[in-house]
Amino acid sequence: MEVTRGWQLQQPGFDRLLRELSPDRERAAVEYERLRFRLIKFFQWQGGAEPEVFADRTLDRLARRLEEGVHVEPLYSYCRGIARMLLLEAQRERELQASALNQAAILRGSALGSSETDLLEALLKCLDRLSENRRHLVLHYYQGEKQATIDGRKALADAMGIPINALRLRVNRIRNQLQNCVKKVRNNINE
């Protein structure tokens, strides 16, 4: 699990990436666009939902690694490895969403009626409206059963560098936001 504490690509990181592509700034810009195009094609071939977004995330991570001083050789292979990791993370995120929805369905009863289906559809829509970090946080928080849930929450708090009570407060705020969103979406569905 990667916890990015608001890291965003800044000019020094971008400049470092361009220097790695070529010492000549004009040539580096051409190489950057070529690399981005190859990444978009890669994500399209892999069936990625948003290939341009994933290509940009890959390049952002590459720039971050370079800015951190990681030696990247060969650059294109390293970049492709980042792209594969992003695909795995996206798959894991989808599995977490499916698991969370299954747990919600189990809690609501074994047979889903139309109102439960509406509830799950509303929950999915509301989860999609959350930022990636907030969605990731709430899905990981509710993942697992019994002791695995407790251990997972402790690990999540440790990874974020916050006390478990602060984690509970953050998730509670997100849960309240989700509950309000679900009510609004369900009202719109029923109208």
Side-chain angles (χ1 to χ4, degrees):
M1 173 186 64
E2 179 183 359
V3 179
T4 56
R5 297 174 194 254
W7 189 90
Q8 290 183 334
L9 180 61
Q10 302 292 324
Q11 193 63 44
F14 184 69
D15 290 341
R16 172 67 196 239
L17 174 57
L18 290 178
R19 280 193 308 274
E20 285 292 319
L21 291 170
S22 176
D24 175 30
R25 186 105 171 147
E26 301 260 334
R27 180 77 181 147
V30 170
E31 289 299 317
Y32 178 87
E33 285 302 319
R34 183 178 295 153
L35 177 58
R36 186 173 185 276
F37 178 77
R38 288 172 64 182
L39 286 168
I40 290 169
K41 287 297 179 193
F42 172 78
F43 286 115
Q44 287 173 342
W45 292 329
Q46 297 297 321
E50 299 172 308
E52 291 88 4
V53 171
F54 277 93
D56 290 339
R57 286 182 186 167
T58 302
L59 292 168
D60 287 353
R61 285 193 185 184
L62 176 61
R64 182 173 66 192
R65 295 292 180 250
L66 291 169
E67 197 173 31
E68 291 170 350
V70 174
H71 179 68
V72 175
E73 190 69 36
L75 184 81
Y76 293 100
S77 296
Y78 192 89
C79 197
R80 191 172 183 137
I82 293 172
R84 286 188 181 128
M85 289 303 297
L86 280 172
L87 285 174
L88 288 173
E89 289 174 14
Q91 179 183 356
R92 202 173 322 134
E93 191 72 28
R94 286 190 301 272
E95 289 170 0
L96 280 172
Q97 282 185 339
S99 174
L101 291 175
N102 284 338
Q103 286 183 351
I106 290 168
L107 292 174
R108 298 283 298 162
S110 59
L112 291 178
S114 64
S115 66
E116 284 84 7
T117 303
D118 290 346
L119 176 66
L120 289 176
E121 286 178 25
L123 180 57
L124 273 175
K125 286 180 183 178
C126 292
L127 281 169
D128 285 340
R129 292 178 184 173
L130 289 175
S131 70
E132 185 178 339
N133 287 341
R134 291 171 62 104
R135 180 175 55 248
H136 181 78
L137 176 63
V138 76
L139 290 175
H140 274 84
Y141 186 83
Y142 288 109
Q143 182 183 9
E145 295 181 24
K146 299 180 183 176
Q147 188 62 40
T149 302
I150 296 167
D151 294 340
R153 290 174 181 176
K154 287 179 184 175
L156 187 59
D158 289 343
M160 294 176 69
I162 60 173
I164 192 75
N165 285 336
L167 176 65
R168 286 186 188 115
L169 287 172
R170 285 185 189 185
V171 171
N172 188 45
R173 288 186 198 112
I174 297 169
R175 189 179 64 228
N176 289 339
Q177 180 184 354
L178 280 172
Q179 286 173 338
N180 292 333
C181 177
V182 166
K183 286 177 188 175
K184 289 177 185 175
V185 170
R186 287 188 77 195
N187 287 337
N188 290 339
I189 290 173
N190 293 329
E191 290 178 355

